[in-house]
Amino acid sequence: MRMLFQCFPSPEHELYFEEIAEIWSTGKSVDPEAVERMRSCYDVKQITPMRFQPPVEETT
């Protein structure tokens, strides 16, 4: 899959990606309210259900 993400003005949304990467890379439980507060700072809306666990691989 490929995704084109375009934002303006730069570099504000680049900072969003840096901050969200820091939140997810801590290895700790993610606080959904903290994620929502951070997203509201960058005017980012979640349109799909949030998943805080990696997808589980199905074994056949």
Side-chain angles (χ1 to χ4, degrees), residues 11-31:
E12 291 180 27
H13 276 78
E14 285 88 345
L15 298 175
Y16 163 80
F17 287 113
E18 290 176 10
E19 192 170 335
I20 197 77
E22 287 177 22
I23 290 173
W24 288 93
S25 68
T26 63
K28 299 176 184 175
S29 178
V30 176
D31 178 6

Side-chain angles (χ1 to χ4, degrees), residues 7-56:
C7 61
F8 184 81
S10 186
E12 291 180 27
H13 276 78
E14 285 88 345
L15 298 175
Y16 163 80
F17 287 113
E18 290 176 10
E19 192 170 335
I20 197 77
E22 287 177 22
I23 290 173
W24 288 93
S25 68
T26 63
K28 299 176 184 175
S29 178
V30 176
D31 178 6
E33 292 175 9
V35 173
E36 187 55 39
R37 285 191 303 272
M38 188 270 313
R39 286 181 172 160
S40 69
C41 291
Y42 293 99
D43 196 27
V44 172
K45 306 290 186 243
Q46 179 74 31
I47 60 172
T48 58
M50 293 177 75
R51 283 194 320 208
F52 294 106
Q53 302 290 329
V56 177

